[in-house]
Amino acid sequence: MKLTNPGAVPVYTVSGPSTARPLPEWLARRRKRSAKYEPEELNNFELLQNFDFEEASNCVRVSDDGNWIMSSGTYKPQFHVHNTQELSLSFARHTKSENTTFIMLSQDYTKSVHLQSDRSIEFHTPMGCHYEVRLPRFGRDLAYLRQSTEVLIPSVGLSADGSGMGEVFRLDLERGQFLRPWQVDVGEDEPGAGLQGGINVGAVNVAAVAESTHGLCAFGTTLGTVEFYDPRSRNRVAVLGGQEGEVTALDYSRDGLSLALGTGTGIVQVFDLRNPRPLMKKDQGMGLPIKNIIHLTTPTEEKKLLTADKRIIKLWDEQTGDLWTSIEPTVEINHVAHVPDSGMLLTANEGKQMHSFFIPNLGLAPRWCHFLDNMVHEMENEKRVDTYDNYKFLTIPELKQLSLAHLVGKTNLLRPYMHGYFVHSKLYDQARLIANPYVWEEERAKRVKEKVEKARESRIRGVKKVKVNQKLVDKIVDRSDKKKIAAGVLDDSRFGKLFEDEEFKIDEMSREFRYLNPSTQVGGQVSVQHVNDDSSVTSNSDDESDPESEVENKKKKKKSKDDVVMQVSSSKIAGGKAKDTAFGQRAPKTGRVTKVRTDVVGEQKVTFVPESRKKQAEPEAAPTRRRDDGRRSASTNTFRRL
C-alpha cells in the first residue's frame, strides 16, 4: 500500500503494477523475496488472491451485495470470480472468445450475461455456461431492464430492412426470444464502408438505464447524439444532439434527473433532463475517448463525478466543476468500477495485475477490508517524503554547470517542474561524470568518511558535552572503569537537572567545596587553604572572561618590595649557597596533586625492624652534588611535603 497522490485528497494504491512493462515471473519473485524486510515494503500486502490475468483485463464489476467481484481478461479468454469474504479467488472459467463486456443480472454472481467478440452472448451460472445465442451484428455494450427482464445490446451498422437506422437489440429473458429492435439514427454509411464493422460505419456505442427511478433508456451514437427511449411506450421520446465527437460513455445520477456523457474527444458534460444546455462542461485533458463515467457521493453528501480514459482517472466536484483529485496509473485503463458505499475503486487495465485504489475522503473502506482504515490512519501520522524514482531535480544553474541547459525546450529528457527540471538519473550520472571525471573518487571518499564518523558515534569517545558542571562530567568519565556505565549515569533522567539547570551548578570557589576538594585546580592553579585561617582563602573571579577582573588579579599577584614575605631555606645539602623561595612564587604542579604517604620525618629514619648485619655494616653514601654553580636543590626540602 502506497500513497500515490499526497494532495488535499490523498489517494492510496492498494494493489496493482508499479511499472508499465510486466516483469518476468522469476524476477518478480526474486524482488519480492529481497524486498521483504525493507522499510518501504512493510505496508505491502495482497488484498485479493490472484487478482490478475496472464496478459490484460477487459472489464471488472462488483455485485450489488458487495460480496463478489467478477472480472474478465485475456489470454486465454476467461473470467474470474472473487469472494470478498474470503479475499480469494472463488473460480476461474475459460470462454471460446474474448469477452467485450458483461453485466450481473442477480444480486450476486449466480446469473451473468457476457458479450463476446464473436457476435455471441453467453449466459453463465455457477454450474457453467447455461445458454449461448448469436447476434445478427456485433454488439458494443450491454444494459438490463429489470422491470421487463430485457437485455439491451447496442449494435454496429445499419439495419437490413433498408431504413438506414442503427439498431438496439432486445432479448426477452422470460420468453427467450428477440423482440422488435429499437431504431436509432446513426447516420448514413460513407462510400466503401462495410456492413459489419468498417471504420466509418455508424454504431450505437453505449447504453444507460435509470433503473431505480423513471427507467428512461439513453443511447449514445457515433453522430454525437443521445436518444432517449421510454420502455413503457417502446418509442423514442427525445434526442440530445450537438456533441463534439461520438458519445462513448453515459451515466445517470442516483435521482435520475441528471445525465453525464463523455465524448471521443475527451469532453465531459452534465445535463439536466429538463434543460438542453449543459450544467457543467469539462475537458479531460488527454484528448482520448472517455471510457467510464460514474456518479459518486461522499459521506458528507457531496456529489462527485468520476471520469476515466485510458490514461487517467479524474474526480470532479459536480456542483462547482473543480477538480477534486486524480489517479494516473502506469498502465492503460480499460474499465473502472466503484465498490458501493465505500471509497475504493477497481480498474481493469492492460497490465498483468489489476489495480485497486482507496480514497479515504470518498468513503470508508469496504467491510471486507476494513483494516485499510487503520493503515491509512497510521500512514497519515508518518512523515511524508516526496520521492521520485529514477529522477533527479535540478535547477537552471545546476543544468548550466552540467552543460545540459541546451536541452531545455528541445527534448522530453527534461521535465519542467516549478523552478527547475526533473532529469533521469542515468542521464544525470553521465553528465556529472563528464563534467567532473574524479567524481567517483570523491563520492567514495565521502562515503568512507561517513562510515568512519558513524563508527565513531557508536563508541564513547572523549567527554560528553553538557550545559552545567562540565568538570564533574570529566571526573565521572575519567574515574569510571566501564565507559558504558558512565554514559548510563550521565543519561539517567534522575540526574538530568544536575547537568542542565544553572541552579545545580557547583561553585568551586565556595568554602564547602574547598573543604571537600583541597587539591582541585581552580583557574589553572593549585589553591591551598588552611582550615583555621579563614582570611587566607583567596578566590578568583567567577567571570573568567571579564578583562577588568583579569587586570585586578594580576595586580594582586604583584608584590611590592616593602611587603614581608615568608621564606624557607633548606640545609640538607652541605656546601651550597642557600636560596630562599617564597610560598607565593613556587611553581604550581600540573595535573592532579597526589599525596605521598611517608613515615620519615627529618633527616634520619628510626625503625625497629630487624635487619641483616651486612646491611648494617654498609656505610651511608654521602650525598652527591648535581651541580656546583652556587645553587642548592630544593627537591629534598621537607617543607615541600606540607
Side-chain angles (χ1 to χ4, degrees), residues 92-253:
R93 186 174 299 167
H94 289 75
T95 57
K96 294 185 294 183
S97 60
E98 186 176 350
N99 189 286
T100 302
T101 185
F102 66 90
I103 57 174
M104 286 183 280
L105 304 179
S106 59
Q107 297 293 324
D108 52 9
Y109 77 98
T110 54
K111 296 179 182 180
S112 60
V113 181
H114 299 259
L115 177 62
Q116 305 297 103
S117 59
D118 60 349
R119 288 197 303 146
S120 64
I121 293 180
E122 294 183 357
F123 296 87
H124 283 264
T125 61
M127 285 71 70
C129 182
H130 178 72
Y131 189 74
E132 180 181 357
V133 61
R134 193 166 179 84
L135 296 173
R137 290 191 299 278
F138 290 97
R140 287 288 184 90
D141 197 10
L142 287 176
Y144 182 54
L145 289 176
R146 198 173 299 275
Q147 291 81 2
S148 58
T149 66
E150 294 181 11
V151 176
L152 306 178
I153 309 103
S155 62
V156 179
L158 304 178
S159 60
D161 56 3
S163 59
M165 303 285 285
E167 294 179 325
V168 177
F169 299 112
R170 302 165 54 207
L171 179 59
D172 193 336
L173 301 184
E174 185 176 3
R175 299 181 184 179
Q177 64 181 14
F178 282 98
L179 303 179
R180 184 174 64 87
W182 287 338
Q183 302 289 329
V184 179
D185 187 10
V186 295
E188 298 181 357
D189 287 344
E190 296 184 3
L195 177 63
Q196 289 296 337
I199 58 175
N200 296 321
V201 173
V204 184
N205 292 328
V206 65
V209 179
E211 182 180 348
S212 59
T213 54
H214 46 71
L216 202 62
C217 301
F219 303 100
T221 67
T222 55
L223 290 179
T225 60
V226 180
E227 297 193 6
F228 298 90
Y229 275 78
D230 190 348
R232 295 169 294 183
S233 62
R234 299 181 179 86
N235 292 321
R236 181 172 57 190
V237 295
V239 177
L240 179 63
Q243 310 305 320
E244 300 177 5
E246 57 181 313
V247 179
T248 57
L250 290 173
D251 186 66
Y252 277 105
S253 63

Side-chain angles (χ1 to χ4, degrees), residues 406-420:
H406 65 282
L407 299 178
V408 176
K410 299 180 181 180
T411 178
N412 57 358
L413 296 176
L414 303 181
R415 299 186 178 184
Y417 182 77
M418 295 182 68
H419 61 283

